[in-house]
Structure formats: C-alpha cells, structure tokens
Amino acid sequence: MTRHPITVALVEDNPAVRQRFQASIENQPELIWMGAAGSVDEGKKLLLETCPRVLLVDLGLPDGSGLEVIQEAARSCPATEVLVISMFGDEGHVIQAIEAGASGYLLKDSEDASLVEHIVQVVDGGSPMSPMIARHLLKKMQQDAGLGKPEPEIALTKRELQLLKLLARGYTYREVAEDLSVSSHTVNSHIKNLYRKLSVKTKNEAVFAATRHGLLDMRNLD
C-alpha cells in the first residue's frame, strides 16, 4: 500500500539546526516540508496554519517553553504527532513533554540520518526515544510503582490487554492490526477506550500506567 506523504513542520530557534533539519526532510520524497518557526508564538501560528502530520519541537525557545506549542497541538490539531528534539535530557523536561502530549523525545545529538526513520515511526504509532530518555521514563515508572499508593481499580477487556502487551513490545498500530487480524479502525477504537480507562494520551503513558496499576508485567509480555 502506497503511503501518503508525511507533512512535517519544525519549531526551533537555532537557524543552523533549522537549516540542517529542513535539508534532511526536503531530501526525502516521502516527506513534505511545511516550514519552521523560531518562537512559541510563531510555532503556534505555524501549527494552526498547517496542522502538520508531524511537528518537531524544541523546548527551549526565546519567548517561553515548547511545552506550550505541544499543548496547543493536543488541543487544536489532535492528528498531529509531536516529536520533541531538545538538548534538555533531564527527567523533569521529559516527563513534562510526555504529559503535555509528545509522542516521542530525541536529544539533539541524535544522528540526522535517523530523523526520517523516527518521523515515519511516530506516524506508524511508535514512540521514538533516545536511550537516555527511555531510561529516565523507566526510572520514573519504577519510582511511582514503589510509592505504594492505592490505585483505583481499572477493568480492561481481554482484547485491550492483548493490544496493550503488543504496544509494550514496540508494535506499531499497523502491526497490532495485522497481529490481531483486525482493521486499523478497530485498533483505533480499542486504543481510544484503553487511553480513556487509563487516563493517558500516549502509548508510553499507557504502558507505564498499566504497569503501575498491576495490569501489565513487563517481564512477561508473551
């Protein structure tokens, strides 16, 4: 099946980085460059004008935080996948970005050659992350699990549990549909119900929340 071109926009205040990313994206026929912005205000304007399929966002902007742009994307362009590309790799920034609605988080020292791969991955339902970022999230999950706070009981269907395990194993939504022999529409319906029950917005949040609630054992995903 032929893939529709993926529209991509960037919010980044460093001209050299903007030029580098633009060149990488324009060099790929499956991607369409929608433009770049250098501030929070410009980023929101670009977002609302284009609603790209993927929005690359830096967190450190001259007039505020890229988190504001991510939150605007969640409100105004829900079909837009946000991929953070930042020099900030500490746990605080990572957690805030994920909670705001980011689907992936990469550090700026990531290879440019992998940028296209990460963009395609996030469109296919993946959550690309730099190894250090994944480590921060795992640490956060372990800390939350060790607090011993009582969690409200959540009931998931057998199909939702199957889907959750596949997501935890790194499957994309398309691969989930193939594995379960159902349509993409059915998978999306299950995803929406799963996210609603777990009170989350992204795949990573769903996996962490399910683990915290005792619904998912990361050591046994078979």
Side-chain angles (χ1 to χ4, degrees), residues 65-139:
S65 171
L67 292 172
E68 297 178 51
V69 182
I70 299 174
Q71 291 165 345
E72 184 64 47
R75 285 191 299 266
S76 305
C77 299
T80 295
E81 299 288 352
V82 177
L83 187 56
V84 173
I85 301 182
S86 177
M87 63 180 292
F88 300 124
D90 60 281
E91 181 178 319
H93 281 95
V94 174
I95 298 300
Q96 286 179 337
I98 297 299
E99 290 178 343
S103 297
Y105 198 117
L106 303 172
L107 296 178
K108 281 189 177 178
D109 60 2
S110 301
E111 292 291 334
D112 283 0
S114 63
L115 179 61
V116 175
E117 179 183 344
H118 291 318
I119 290 172
V120 172
Q121 184 182 352
V122 79
V123 168
D124 284 342
S127 296
M129 293 193 180
S130 297
M132 188 196 322
I133 302 305
R135 186 178 182 88
H136 279 317
L137 290 177
L138 179 60
K139 180 181 177 182

Side-chain angles (χ1 to χ4, degrees), residues 141 145 164 205-218:
M141 181 185 71
L164 188 60
E205 287 182 332
V207 172
F208 298 146
T211 303
R212 189 171 64 247
H213 284 278
L215 299 170
L216 184 67
D217 184 355
M218 295 295 289

Side-chain angles (χ1 to χ4, degrees), residues 37 39-51 69 72:
S39 67
V40 171
D41 287 343
E42 292 176 0
K44 289 180 179 179
K45 182 179 179 181
L46 176 64
L47 170 70
L48 295 176
E49 288 176 348
T50 64
C51 273
V69 182
E72 184 64 47

Side-chain angles (χ1 to χ4, degrees), residues 81 98 101-104 121-129 137 141 163-176 187 191 194-195 198 200-211 216 218:
E81 299 288 352
I98 297 299
S103 297
Q121 184 182 352
V122 79
V123 168
D124 284 342
S127 296
M129 293 193 180
L137 290 177
M141 181 185 71
L163 186 147
L164 188 60
K165 287 185 177 181
L166 293 176
L167 292 180
R169 289 167 61 182
Y171 280 44
T172 65
Y173 294 163
R174 182 184 303 173
E175 291 169 338
V176 168
V187 169
I191 288 288
L194 185 63
Y195 285 9
L198 294 173
V200 299
K201 297 179 181 178
T202 68
K203 181 175 74 171
N204 283 326
E205 287 182 332
V207 172
F208 298 146
T211 303
L216 184 67
M218 295 295 289

